[in-house]
Amino acid sequence: EPEVTQTPSHQVTQMGQEVILRCVPISNHLYFYWYRQILGQKVEFLVSFYNNEISEKSEIFDDQFSVERPDGSNFTLKIRSTKLEDSAMYFCASSLDRTEAFFGQGTRLTVV
Amino acid sequence: KNEVEQSPQNLTAQEGEFITINCSYSVGISALHWLQQHPGGGIVSLFMLSSGKKKHGRLIATINIQEKHSSLHITASHPRDSAVYICAVDNNDMRFGAGTRLTVKP
């Protein structure tokens, strides 16, 4: 069964460093999403991406964040100059037609 | 005020019991999703609803668009159903409820 794959499963980074979280969506899907979940809190929407551009983004998704689909298969989330409060589980999801979304297993980012 | 409210926050049941989790929302939506988050953190999509009712195995989800309310039911609950169940509404972006932590005891 097709699945969304995220790498790495756990990333530890020093405060101020840049991180890139990688996602491989399901191959024929057209809509891509990033979400985050700070430990003990609810899931929050970050950004949606369609037709090679951002379609929606939340207030959280400021200039520190960027997304890219560099090669037609990967969908990446870059976080520049990481802060302690960026520590969270980051989930990627993809959807064929904005109905059912398929989630990856998440990347746990720890900023120290 | 949260745009998506779930109740209860925590729910403990005995194996075999019928479970109901509720979700109310305050914004206009194109669809409502029920998600299951496993203890390890992974998220699985259970249902996407825009009207009526859907059934998948022991899980049933209903939505009342006029009342802005949805329910997730689990029949004949089992310890493997123990997870956090999350309601999320789709309004161009997705807004999530805080989740309901379900524990089913054998």
Side-chain angles (χ1 to χ4, degrees), chain A residues 33-47:
Chain A
Y33 309 88
W34 282 102
Y35 303 92
R36 79 171 184 190
Q37 186 177 32
I38 294 169
L39 187 65
Q41 297 186 22
K42 63 182 181 180
V43 179
E44 299 171 292
F45 168 77
L46 291 178
V47 66

Side-chain angles (χ1 to χ4, degrees), chain A residues 35 37 42-45 48 56 89 91 98-101 103-105 108, chain B residues 2 33 35 37 40-43 45 48 86 90 92-94 96-98:
Chain A
Y35 303 92
Q37 186 177 32
K42 63 182 181 180
V43 179
E44 299 171 292
F45 168 77
S48 60
E56 297 287 338
M89 184 79 99
F91 292 100
R98 292 201 64 203
T99 56
E100 185 176 11
F103 286 78
Q105 287 300 301
R108 184 171 298 282
Chain B
N2 288 331
H33 301 256
L35 310 170
Q37 187 167 32
I43 295 177
S45 176
M48 191 279 294
I86 301 170
D90 197 340
N92 293 319
D93 58 21
M94 273 175 75
F96 292 80

Side-chain angles (χ1 to χ4, degrees), chain B residues 34-54:
Chain B
W34 281 102
L35 310 170
Q36 181 191 53
Q37 187 167 32
H38 298 293
I43 295 177
V44 174
S45 176
L46 298 175
F47 294 104
M48 191 279 294
L49 293 163
S50 52
S51 64
K53 176 178 171 178
K54 285 190 176 179

Side-chain angles (χ1 to χ4, degrees), chain A residues 9-63:
Chain A
S9 57
H10 191 186
Q11 170 113 30
V12 181
T13 190
Q14 293 273 346
M15 191 168 55
Q17 296 295 305
E18 175 181 286
V19 295
I20 297 176
L21 309 183
R22 302 183 192 281
C23 170
V24 179
I26 294 173
S27 61
N28 63 334
H29 282 190
L30 302 175
Y31 297 85
F32 313 107
Y33 309 88
W34 282 102
Y35 303 92
R36 79 171 184 190
Q37 186 177 32
I38 294 169
L39 187 65
Q41 297 186 22
K42 63 182 181 180
V43 179
E44 299 171 292
F45 168 77
L46 291 178
V47 66
S48 60
F49 193 86
Y50 170 73
N51 201 25
N52 284 320
E53 61 182 26
I54 291 172
S55 45
E56 297 287 338
K57 61 181 181 177
S58 71
E59 292 175 354
I60 303 166
F61 194 88
D62 59 20
D63 292 343

